[in-house]
Amino acid sequence: MKIDRIELREIRMELKNSFETSFGVTTERRMVLVSVYSEGLFGIGEVACGETPGYNHETTDTAWSILEDVIVPRVLGKSFEHPSDLEPVLHPIRGNHFTKAGLEMAVWDLAAKAANMPLWKYLGGVQTELPVGISVGIKKSPEALAEFVIEQEALGYKRIKLKIGPGRDVAFVTAARAALKPTTKLTSDANSAYTLADLEVLKALDGIGMQYMEQPLEYDDLVDHATLQKQIKTPICLDEPIHSVGDVRKAKELGSGSVINLKLGRVGGHLESQRIAKYCLENGIDLWAGGMLESGVGRAHNVAMQTQAGFTLASDTAPSSRYWSEDIIEPEIVMVNGITHPLEGIGLGVNLKNDLIHTFTARVATFK
Ligand SMILES: [Mg+2]
């Protein structure tokens, strides 16, 4: 596959409902869609990092700049036998994993189309019944949260994850736990809002009865998480500090946690995700796919990834309708009784709603 054209397109999509985490409130998403063209075929990926450096160092604007100035010149006009051949080209660029993944995902879609296969099968996926969890933003009060989670439980979600932060933690999680059926899996995600000085709060959370506790401590930490895990029973799930299969191995050796939230972008794309899924399967580490409030393009890539053996827990691949009035893909991602299925079309398996995409476009650049 010779890459003979690359298009970068920034789209802006307003969320149906604002989403609050410990680092801020999101009302509008800005993503960069990356399209690669080769011999009459095209593939598409999405850079799903934040608009601000709140989740990690990357932003929509740094992604655009790194793509335009560094990545596109290295990829345009080059030929690749397989998407894994991109690794020697992208690996020397330090960090910027979400940005590199946008391009990498597009090449996987292209390669699956060239092989005339659905992407999920091309990736080696084997699972077709994919359990879906929901990520719930911070609400105004424990009562408002309890009311909201009851509605979500009724929709069939297989796991309910609560965003928490200091002062909006124990009472909120306790209220949600009391409101839900005892069999409904409940988890929390602090997005790094605590330190070991908050041990009392973390121990109180430990007593509520959660499936796991996601990323309570610093975004780049593995050591303190290992200290904490020795003092609480609830398994710790790591998100922000996991950038590679090497990080998963280090977390395992340190005892930092036994659950991994895998974000396709955070680890640089499908190739590293495959390695992580394989490592987790072989080492008894629970794994699920996280989300970044993606458009349907990123969401469809997440669903394809999640079909691999190794994904053992419900993933944040909620249906398009949870976030968007209208998604940019058809068919949209749907969920029935808490289950979604891989898309069976060739490649990513979706058609793009180009009129809608044009409406959402803030800037576009084409390189030939
Ligand atoms: Mg998280």
Side-chain angles (χ1 to χ4, degrees), residues 269-282:
H270 284 298
L271 183 64
E272 198 65 17
S273 297
Q274 286 179 320
R275 291 175 180 143
I276 291 172
K278 183 167 180 286
Y279 183 88
C280 287
L281 185 67
E282 290 169 356

Side-chain angles (χ1 to χ4, degrees), residues 252-273:
K252 178 183 161 50
E253 288 179 8
L254 288 167
S256 317
S258 55
V259 183
I260 299 293
N261 167 350
L262 176 46
K263 288 181 180 157
L264 189 49
R266 198 192 61 231
V267 303
H270 284 298
L271 183 64
E272 198 65 17
S273 297

